[in-house]
């Protein structure tokens, strides 16, 4: 059995009477691409915030990279990467300065930053642009750079919150190639998305409805179980029963 | 610690690459100082004055003629009694009244010494001072011309009185006010905008997920503006001394210490605003409306507080710039030491503590 890097047991977050996350339990294996799906307001973001060490659960237990979400938020933060839909690099800093900044924030030494950023720039083919301001790069490049920066400190897990929002299909495809490469190098990828075709790229997928996990399996198995042609149909069948519709 | 330095360096990049920030940071002080400094020391022309000649002798006639022939004044000669003087000022046209008492001519002839009264409208202290200077200069001139023949110069002694603003707040007093205003703009506005910008861009989220402590984010944001504001302060002092001939009478060290305190107050205001506002525009608006106007109006450097309705005087007590203004005035212009300003300092320390705790508290609750 594979090593588990995220373990949730009856994880619950309650805001007053509202059960944002209602007793969810799941495990994520090392090196897995784990899709976290759900309509707006289903509780994805709340669950993800807990796993990222940004908020405390109301009850239940969870560990991320072996660290407890109640007591070891600092250690969790040190071992994860994060990228959101909002473009997260500084436009008036150059490519290199952005890399140096985020590397520095994660406490990497100057030497490590230098050698890894050389490597990264070569890998992305950004030698010409390394000293240009990020604001001058096309969106697709920015997005890829943002992902590279998110895993620059070589985290155990990277959380991607709708990372491909507003990106064209070609770039999205290239972006997923990068995700596969990261997973192959041993980084666990925890990704939320609205694109059901992207759900198909994941090793396993959970679908959250009204704060609960309604399904958790490989896309192939889910399609078989719900007798659906694609993930979109699976999603609709499950999400139809939702009572909450938005944040 | 190293992480903090990395962060601070990034903030400096932001400041130096944003033309608008740079302009506000360094262009504004120059513009303000020159504007206020020179606009206020400029000459007075065609000021309305009333000459009340109760002596009506050869001397007063000559003096009045001298005054009328200068281009500075539009004169009106008529006799005014006590309350009539006040009434004339209240209409707002008359800037000064020159009064020759009934025994002026006789005193000058026989005792060689005579009093003359100048009453000026102190609500506009600069004009008032300039007018007084011109009038005393003309009187002095006349006195000189009398002395040519006589052995001892007869003395014309002007008695000065400022209506509405007996202290005679003058151009000098604008500098401390301008300094306070600049700190308020630079620290509150720029800090809040720079934090809200990260919220808008989504980079704040990334920073919060990083092991970098959230409070450190605020510190890293504040430090560059603290440093730049101190540089700015030095710059303003150099400008004031170099161009406006203002002497710094008190301890420079004390001045810098108090300024650092006030900068921290302004930064706290900025942090607080950044927690309330969700867009850069909102942050800008709140800091401009909420902080700049009170600083401009209720600090006492533009409009004397004593003339304001009681309610406004009460409100002015919660404007931090008001206390800083008093401190700078005391140290820079009057050369007073810490023992004279400890109360004001204490008020500022108190305000800063409250503002900073509020900002941090709000920041914490917003996170969870």
């Amino acid at each position: 059995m594979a090593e588990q890097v995220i373990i949730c047991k009856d994880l619950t977050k309650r805001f007053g009477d509202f059960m944002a996350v209602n007793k969810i339990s799941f495990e994520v294996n090392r090196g897995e691409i784990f899709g976290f799906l759900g309509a707006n307001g289903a509780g994805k973001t709340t669950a993800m915030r807990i796993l990222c060490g940004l908020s405390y659960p109301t009850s239940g237990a969870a560990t991320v990279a072996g660290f407890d979400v109640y007591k070891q938020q600092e250690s969790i933060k040190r071992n994860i990467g994060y990228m959101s839909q909002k473009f997260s690099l500084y436009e008036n800093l150059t490519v290199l300065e952005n890399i140096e900044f985020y590397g520095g924030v994660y406490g990497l030494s100057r030497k490590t930053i230098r050698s890894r950023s050389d490597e990264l720039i070569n890998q992305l083919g950004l030698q010409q642009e390394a000293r240009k301001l990020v604001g001058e790069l096309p969106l697709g490049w920015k997005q890829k750079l943002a992902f590279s920066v998110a895993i620059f400190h070589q985290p155990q897990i990277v959380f991607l919150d709708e990372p491909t929002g507003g990106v064209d299909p070609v770039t999205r495809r290239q972006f997923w190639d990068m995700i596969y490469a990261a997973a192959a190098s041993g980084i666990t990828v925890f990704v939320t998305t609205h694109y059901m075709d992207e759900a198909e790229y994941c090793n396993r997928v959970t679908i959250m409805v009204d704060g609960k996990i309604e399904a958790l399996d490989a896309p192939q198995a889910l399609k078989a179980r719900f007798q659906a042609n694609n993930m979109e149909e699976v999603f609709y069948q499950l999400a139809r029963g939702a009572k909450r519709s938005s944040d | 610690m190293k992480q903090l330095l990395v962060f601070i360096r990034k903030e400096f990049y932001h400041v130096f690459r944003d033309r608008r920030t740079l302009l506000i940071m360094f262009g504004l002080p120059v513009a303000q100082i020159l504007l206020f400094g020179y606009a206020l020391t400029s000459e007075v022309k065609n000021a309305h004055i009333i000459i009340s000649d109760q002596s009506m002798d050869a001397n007063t006639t000559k003096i009045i003629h001298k005054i009328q022939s200068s281009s500075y004044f539009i004169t009106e000669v008529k006799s005014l009694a006590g309350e009539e003087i006040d009434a004339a000022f209240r209409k707002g046209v008359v800037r000064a009244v020159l009064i020759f008492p009934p025994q002026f001519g006789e005193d000058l002839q026989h005792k060689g010494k005579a009093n003359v009264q100048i009453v000026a409208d102190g609500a506009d202290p600069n004009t008032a001072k300039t007018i007084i200077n011109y009038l005393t200069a003309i009187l002095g001139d006349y006195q000189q011309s009398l002395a040519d023949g006589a052995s001892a110069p007869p003395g014309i002694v002007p008695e000065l009185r400022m209506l509405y603003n007996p202290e005679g707040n003058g151009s000098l007093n604008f500098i401390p006010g301008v300094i306070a205003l600049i700190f308020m703009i630079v620290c509150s506005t720029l800090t809040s905008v720079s934090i809200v910008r990260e919220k808008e861009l989504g980079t704040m989220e990334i920073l919060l997920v990083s092991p970098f402590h959230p409070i450190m984010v605020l510190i890293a944001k504040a430090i560059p503006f603290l440093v730049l504001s101190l540089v700015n302060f030095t710059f303003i002092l150099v400008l004031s001394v170099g161009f406006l001939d203002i002497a710094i009478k008190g301890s420079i060290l004390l001045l810098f210490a108090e300024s650092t305190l006030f900068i921290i107050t302004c930064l706290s205001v900025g942090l607080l605003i950044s927690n309330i506002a969700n867009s850069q525009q909102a942050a800008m608006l709140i800091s401009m409306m909420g902080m700049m106007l009170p600083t401009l109006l209720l600090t006492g450097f533009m409009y004397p507080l004593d003339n304001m309705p009681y309610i406004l005087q009460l409100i002015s007590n919660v404007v931090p710039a008001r206390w800083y203004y008093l401190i700078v005035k005391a140290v820079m212009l009057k050369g007073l030491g810490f023992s004279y300003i400890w109360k004001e300092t204490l008020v500022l320390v108190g305000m800063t503590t409250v503002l900073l705790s509020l900002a941090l508290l709000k920041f914490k609750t917003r996170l969870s």
Side-chain angles (χ1 to χ4, degrees):
Chain A
M1 199 176 134
E3 185 196 351
Q4 293 166 340
V5 286
I6 302 177
I7 303 168
C8 289
K9 186 94 183 83
D10 295 334
L11 196 68
T12 301
K13 178 80 179 188
R14 185 210 301 264
F15 297 107
D17 289 337
F18 181 73
M19 300 290 271
V21 174
N22 194 352
K23 287 192 164 188
I24 61 171
S25 302
F26 62 87
E27 293 88 32
V28 180
N29 301 322
R30 182 176 297 281
E32 186 174 27
I33 300 175
F34 190 82
F36 205 58
L37 314 185
N40 288 336
K44 283 180 313 206
T45 308
T46 311
M48 192 140 137
R49 283 178 64 85
I50 295 171
L51 296 179
C52 289
L54 285 180
S55 77
Y56 292 106
T58 314
S59 64
T63 60
V64 175
F67 299 105
D68 187 79
V69 291
Y70 290 96
K71 292 181 218 137
Q72 296 170 298
Q73 286 193 334
E74 286 303 306
S75 306
I76 290 177
K77 287 178 175 180
R78 219 171 286 282
N79 284 283
I80 62 169
Y82 177 85
M83 178 191 167
S84 76
Q85 176 183 16
K86 278 190 179 173
F87 174 64
S88 51
L89 298 174
Y90 296 97
E91 305 239 331
N92 59 359
L93 259 54
T94 67
V95 173
L96 270 180
E97 283 163 355
N98 265 293
I99 296 173
E100 277 164 14
F101 171 66
Y102 281 112
V105 162
Y106 278 91
L108 301 183
S109 73
R110 191 171 299 196
K111 230 174 84 188
T112 317
I113 293 176
R114 189 152 314 149
S115 70
R116 275 196 214 164
S117 58
D118 283 348
E119 198 181 315
L120 175 63
I121 299 247
N122 283 328
Q123 208 179 314
L124 291 175
L126 282 176
Q127 293 91 336
Q128 300 290 318
E129 285 83 8
R131 292 186 191 283
K132 274 193 192 159
L133 297 185
V134 164
E136 297 166 14
L137 296 183
L139 183 69
W141 278 112
K142 288 185 198 168
Q143 211 76 4
K144 281 188 246 175
L145 187 61
F147 179 71
S148 308
V149 167
I151 57 171
F152 189 73
H153 58 290
Q154 298 179 340
Q156 295 191 42
I157 306 156
V158 64
F159 289 86
L160 307 174
D161 192 4
E162 292 172 21
T164 53
V167 173
D168 66 79
V170 177
T171 312
R172 249 170 71 195
R173 184 66 241 191
Q174 290 172 344
F175 193 81
W176 273 91
D177 287 340
M178 292 181 76
I179 292 179
Y180 274 116
S185 77
I187 295 177
T188 308
V189 180
F190 187 100
V191 58
T192 72
T193 179
H194 275 313
Y195 299 109
M196 286 306 136
D197 57 325
E198 286 188 350
E200 313 252 4
Y201 304 153
C202 299
N203 299 126
R204 280 192 309 152
V205 165
T206 64
I207 297 177
M208 266 187 96
V209 178
D210 289 351
K212 293 189 185 132
I213 289 184
E214 289 293 331
L216 167 56
D217 216 329
Q220 218 48 47
L222 285 175
K223 282 187 279 186
R225 169 145 54 111
F226 289 90
Q227 296 174 344
N229 294 321
N230 52 38
M231 282 304 292
E232 197 138 3
E233 288 179 23
V234 175
F235 185 76
Y236 279 131
Q237 284 191 38
L238 284 167
R240 216 167 21 212
K243 300 197 175 55
R244 311 198 308 232
S245 55
S246 72
D247 298 301
Chain B
M1 201 55 215
K2 214 189 87 198
Q3 281 146 290
L4 189 63
L5 290 180
V6 169
F7 205 119
I8 291 172
R9 189 178 61 185
K10 184 210 87 176
E11 292 307 319
F12 274 111
Y13 283 147
H14 283 318
V15 172
F16 287 121
R17 281 178 198 171
D18 187 21
R19 236 173 261 150
R20 270 182 306 174
T21 308
L22 271 185
L23 200 67
I24 294 178
M25 191 95 210
F26 296 106
L28 194 74
V30 180
Q32 297 260 34
I33 294 284
L34 295 185
L35 202 70
F36 279 118
Y38 285 113
L40 288 165
T41 49
S42 70
E43 286 182 54
V44 172
K45 274 198 177 139
N46 300 329
H48 281 82
I49 62 165
I50 292 178
I51 301 169
S52 175
D53 186 1
Q54 290 154 12
S55 174
M56 296 207 260
D57 59 279
N59 284 311
T60 56
T61 314
K62 276 187 204 156
I63 294 173
I64 291 171
H65 192 75
K66 246 175 131 60
I67 293 172
Q68 280 172 333
S69 60
S70 85
S71 66
Y72 304 126
F73 305 111
I74 295 173
T75 52
E76 194 181 335
V77 182
K78 67 176 178 189
S79 57
L80 288 175
E83 301 118 57
E84 286 173 319
I85 296 175
D86 281 350
F89 277 117
R90 235 171 276 141
K91 279 183 198 148
V93 182
V94 175
R95 296 273 159 239
V97 176
L98 176 68
I99 303 157
F100 294 103
Q103 67 280 14
F104 178 84
E106 241 166 81
D107 282 357
L108 198 63
Q109 285 295 316
H110 300 115
K111 296 186 198 159
K113 217 177 157 183
N115 286 337
V116 58
Q117 237 192 338
I118 303 172
V119 185
D121 181 355
D124 185 352
N126 284 291
T127 315
K129 275 196 173 162
T130 315
I131 290 175
I132 289 172
N133 286 341
Y134 286 166
L135 286 176
T136 33
I138 292 172
L139 291 171
D141 250 18
Y142 181 71
Q143 194 176 313
Q144 205 68 47
S145 70
L146 285 184
D148 282 349
S151 52
I156 298 176
V157 183
E159 270 173 32
L160 308 177
R161 210 178 117 215
M162 285 268 210
L163 273 189
Y164 308 122
N165 181 13
E167 245 193 19
N169 281 352
S171 65
L172 287 186
N173 297 345
F174 269 80
I175 295 302
V178 170
I179 293 173
L181 188 65
I182 288 169
F183 283 158
M184 215 63 203
I185 296 173
V186 167
C187 297
S188 312
T189 314
L190 294 184
T191 313
S192 61
V193 165
S194 104
I195 292 176
V196 173
R197 188 186 295 144
E198 299 237 5
K199 278 206 254 176
E200 263 185 12
L201 289 177
T203 42
M204 191 55 111
E205 253 176 285
I206 309 283
L207 295 176
L208 295 178
V209 179
S210 79
F212 201 63
H213 198 280
I215 300 299
M216 297 292 254
V217 175
L218 299 188
I219 294 174
K221 283 275 170 194
I223 285 179
F225 289 112
L226 174 66
V227 172
L228 290 174
S229 294
L230 285 174
V231 171
N232 227 337
F233 182 59
T234 316
F235 186 51
I236 294 170
L237 290 185
V238 169
L239 271 183
S240 312
V241 173
F243 285 90
L244 303 176
D245 297 324
I246 291 170
I248 299 168
K249 293 200 177 123
S251 150
I252 297 235
L253 210 65
L254 182 59
L255 207 53
F256 268 89
E258 296 282 351
S259 299
T260 309
L261 172 63
F262 182 64
I263 292 170
I264 295 173
T265 316
C266 297
L267 290 172
S268 311
V269 171
L271 295 182
L272 192 60
I273 292 173
S274 74
N275 284 328
I276 302 167
N278 279 318
S279 70
Q280 291 181 58
Q281 281 93 336
M284 194 84 103
L285 209 67
I286 295 174
S287 43
M288 290 283 179
M289 291 307 223
M291 301 320 302
M292 236 176 87
L293 275 184
T295 304
L296 208 56
L297 300 178
L298 295 178
T299 303
F301 83 99
M302 274 208 138
Y303 308 102
L305 288 173
D306 301 335
N307 299 346
M308 288 184 185
Y310 187 61
I311 297 270
L312 286 183
Q313 292 189 29
L314 274 185
I315 294 174
S316 77
N317 285 322
V318 300
V319 178
R322 190 210 147 145
W323 303 99
Y324 176 66
Y325 172 67
L326 289 177
I327 292 171
V328 177
K329 227 166 65 168
V331 177
M332 190 170 156
L333 306 180
K334 297 182 187 158
L336 299 177
F338 184 68
S339 56
Y340 289 89
I341 51 167
W342 66 270
K343 272 189 220 152
E344 286 83 359
T345 310
L346 206 64
V347 172
L348 269 189
V349 169
M351 282 182 172
T352 312
T353 315
V354 171
L355 287 167
L356 201 60
S357 330
L358 266 179
L360 294 184
L361 214 72
K362 275 222 90 157
F363 189 66
K364 269 223 158 104
T365 48
R366 207 174 49 76
L367 287 182
S368 58

